[in-house]
Amino acid sequence: MKTEPQKELTMKTEPQDEHQWLQKLVGEWTYETEAMMGPDQTPEKSTGTESVRSLGGLWILAEGQGEMPGCNDTATTMMTLGYDPQKQRFVGTFIVSMMSYLWIYEGELDTAQTRLTLNAEGPSMTEEGKMAKYQDIIEFINEDHRVLTSHVLSDDGQWHQFMTAHYWQKQ
């Protein structure tokens, strides 16, 4: 009796176009942010650096150091981003040294492949104990300049931008 050849099971994923897109983030960056911490407050500006490395060509790990809007202190941030071919979605996480919440990202690239929209749910900035929907959008202006905008979905069903960060690749 002949049996079907047994398929070799492997956990290895070959990088796809979406993984290649993430590799554009790899490098050493400086950033400047402007954040609106409340409706009647003036925007707060801050600066910092970010070091982004690749993990196996499938993931990026981005560690930032800098001033944190709304705090009189510096913070360390860590973002992971990858692409899940089964979900056909970008996935990732975000943590910051001043907060105990683990942000979970899921998102997609636009058709022009210049904007990655990452959706997350997290603690509301306006109501204690309430959760809110957020979007972080990473957009490449050119290979040495990218912009991150952060948005929150308000009760009126509209997305409101509350932060903009410009990143420049160190030369």
Side-chain angles (χ1 to χ4, degrees):
M1 173 190 282
K2 255 188 168 175
T3 60
E4 291 280 322
Q6 188 173 3
K7 288 186 178 179
E8 185 178 315
L9 295 177
T10 180
M11 297 287 287
K12 184 168 173 52
T13 300
E14 291 300 320
Q16 298 182 1
D17 291 344
E18 293 84 356
H19 298 110
Q20 291 293 1
W21 189 90
L22 289 170
Q23 300 310 302
K24 298 189 315 182
L25 295 163
V26 172
E28 300 297 320
W29 301 81
T30 59
Y31 66 81
E32 294 178 6
T33 65
E34 184 172 289
M36 296 294 293
M37 300 314 291
D40 298 327
Q41 297 181 6
T42 57
E44 291 189 29
K45 296 181 185 242
S46 60
T47 60
T49 60
E50 185 180 63
S51 180
V52 184
R53 65 185 175 98
S54 177
L55 185 64
L58 299 175
W59 296 91
I60 61 97
L61 307 173
E63 185 171 356
Q65 298 277 334
E67 304 164 345
M68 184 59 76
C71 300
N72 294 329
D73 206 355
T74 59
T76 300
T77 61
M78 177 62 78
M79 176 188 283
T80 65
L81 289 176
Y83 180 76
D84 185 330
Q86 289 183 311
K87 289 183 177 181
Q88 295 187 355
R89 307 282 287 167
F90 286 85
V91 293
T93 60
F94 178 80
I95 56 174
V96 60
S97 59
M98 57 177 247
M99 183 184 291
S100 63
Y101 190 78
L102 173 65
W103 296 81
I104 307 292
Y105 285 131
E106 191 169 296
E108 61 191 14
L109 203 53
D110 70 345
T111 54
Q113 297 193 352
T114 57
R115 291 170 48 113
L116 175 60
T117 300
L118 299 166
N119 298 295
E121 185 175 56
S124 170
M125 293 184 294
T126 57
E127 288 186 58
E128 190 74 34
K130 186 177 176 190
M131 299 297 277
K133 294 188 182 302
Y134 294 89
Q135 283 187 336
D136 282 348
I137 300 172
I138 300 170
E139 182 171 12
F140 274 90
I141 306 305
N142 60 48
E143 66 183 28
D144 295 324
H145 181 202
R146 63 183 160 95
V147 177
L148 169 71
T149 54
S150 295
H151 309 256
V152 63
L153 186 62
S154 65
D155 292 336
D156 66 6
Q158 299 294 311
W159 287 102
H160 295 280
Q161 184 174 322
F162 62 89
M163 191 202 69
T164 303
H166 287 268
Y167 291 78
W168 291 276
Q169 186 127 321
K170 292 181 181 178
Q171 299 300 327

